[in-house]
Amino acid sequence: MAQLTFRIRRFQPGRGDTGWQDFSVESSPGMTILDGLHHIREHQDGSLAWRHSCRMGVCGSCGLIVNGEPRLACNTQVESLTGSRISLEPLWNFPVAKDLVPDLSSLFEKHSAVAPYLVRDDSEDDGSDGRELAQSPAELDQFLQFTSCIKCGVCMAACPTLASDPDFLGPMPLTAAYRYNADSRDSGFDARKTKLAGRHGMSHCHYAAECSRACPKGVDPARAIQLLKRDLVLDLLGVRRREPAPPVDGRAPRTRDGLQAPPFTVPSPPENPDE
Ligand code: SF4
Ligand code: FES
């Protein structure tokens, strides 16, 4: 057990930045930053504010800056950090509501602006006939890694472009846009295009790739942004993009304009060579 100092940057509504404050915390095996914050609030200062929920790296609400790096409080163990002094700040590139609580409104507004859902031109189809929007494993692979995003904002805090242009869409919303653009069931490319190609859109990314380095879920936003750029260039050149796959009933693809969704087949188990 070691004695640690949690050096926390405090912000008060109406007063702004009120400076750093030190708290002494005894470490224990497996202790996380989140555990340390709970200890401080329970035993030293009940007014300390931060945000959390799941405690297991799923809800995305506990992002903060630990020793100058954007991280999640709940999956950062104090033993993984060097030194006995741990500095904590609210996520960069967001206004602060109080202490370690960032105001993430801009994150969710930008996310909402890129239509982060399947856009279909058959919206009158309510699916009541039981058809599925089937996908092959290869089609799923086009976007699967980007579905791990938990909207924590850690990548937004790491982004140097966002630091210089608060209106830049940023890595999380751009990743969400690519996740749906790359989905074979989606036809929202044109709907998203104007927003993505705008002055504060993907072309403003300088490919520092700090977002990918910081992401606690292994998502690669920098890659998503480069793929978005590629798709926009292909679109500007008039190269026809992939069209969304039509829904199928599990037996045969329903065709629309000649488009086909490859039927999904379960492979047979390999024969036992010992028999
Ligand atoms: S891409 Fe990663 S860092 Fe960015 S919001 Fe999603 S999970 Fe968080
Ligand atoms: S508390 Fe949910 S991700 Fe940390």
Side-chain angles (χ1 to χ4, degrees):
M1 299 238 266
Q3 204 67 29
L4 302 172
T5 300
F6 275 42
R7 172 159 284 188
I8 300 176
R9 196 153 185 190
R10 307 293 301 264
F11 290 79
Q12 295 301 322
R15 292 178 57 202
D17 187 346
T18 58
W20 297 89
Q21 188 173 359
D22 287 355
F23 298 91
S24 194
V25 177
E26 200 169 272
S27 74
S28 55
M31 178 190 235
T32 63
I33 296 293
L34 185 58
D35 294 332
L37 290 172
H38 277 293
H39 186 276
I40 292 168
R41 190 156 70 184
E42 283 164 21
H43 300 286
Q44 300 180 53
D45 187 343
S47 72
L48 181 63
W50 72 91
R51 188 186 286 126
H52 78 285
S53 180
C54 71
R55 301 182 181 220
M56 53 167 62
V58 173
C59 72
S61 58
C62 69
L64 40 62
I65 306 295
V66 181
N67 289 349
E69 289 188 15
R71 290 169 171 263
L72 294 180
C74 70
N75 74 352
T76 302
Q77 295 198 4
V78 296
E79 287 169 339
S80 69
L81 305 170
T82 53
S84 60
R85 191 161 69 188
I86 299 169
S87 70
L88 302 176
E89 302 170 68
L91 284 180
W92 295 324
N93 299 337
F94 296 104
V96 182
K98 185 176 188 299
D99 295 335
L100 301 173
V101 181
D103 177 354
L104 298 178
S105 303
S106 62
L107 173 81
F108 296 115
E109 284 162 12
K110 291 171 182 175
H111 183 231
S112 172
V114 301
Y117 40 78
L118 288 182
V119 175
R120 303 277 308 176
D121 54 12
D122 55 357
S123 54
E124 76 287 352
D125 185 347
D126 64 3
S128 57
D129 57 2
R131 288 173 305 178
E132 295 178 55
L133 294 172
Q135 281 186 312
S136 68
E139 287 170 328
L140 179 63
D141 279 347
Q142 297 300 310
F143 64 88
L144 183 60
Q145 88 111 227
F146 303 113
T147 65
S148 298
C149 175
I150 57 173
K151 323 292 183 280
C152 63
V154 163
C155 56
M156 303 287 274
C159 176
T161 305
L162 201 52
S164 61
D165 176 11
D167 293 326
F168 175 51
L169 278 172
M172 187 283 267
L174 289 170
T175 299
Y178 183 75
R179 176 257 174 271
Y180 285 99
N181 276 358
D183 192 317
S184 61
R185 302 163 297 180
D186 179 81
S187 54
F189 181 88
D190 288 335
R192 297 183 191 100
K193 187 166 66 175
T194 307
K195 190 77 184 170
L196 298 175
R199 183 163 161 234
H200 304 288
M202 60 197 168
S203 59
H204 210 26
C205 168
H206 300 160
Y207 198 38
E210 285 298 315
C211 49
S212 298
R213 196 177 72 82
C215 177
K217 303 301 289 184
V219 180
D220 190 349
R223 179 165 182 263
I225 296 170
Q226 303 321 303
L227 292 170
L228 276 176
K229 291 178 183 175
R230 176 202 64 181
D231 288 350
L232 187 76
V233 170
L234 290 175
D235 183 72
L236 289 171
L237 292 172
V239 178
R240 191 171 167 73
R241 295 184 66 254
R242 163 197 60 71
E243 293 292 345
V248 299
D249 62 9
R251 293 186 301 273
R254 186 179 73 169
T255 60
R256 189 189 61 202
D257 301 328
L259 305 174
Q260 298 283 328
F264 182 79
T265 53
V266 179
S268 308
E271 289 181 14
N272 187 340
D274 297 332
E275 289 181 355

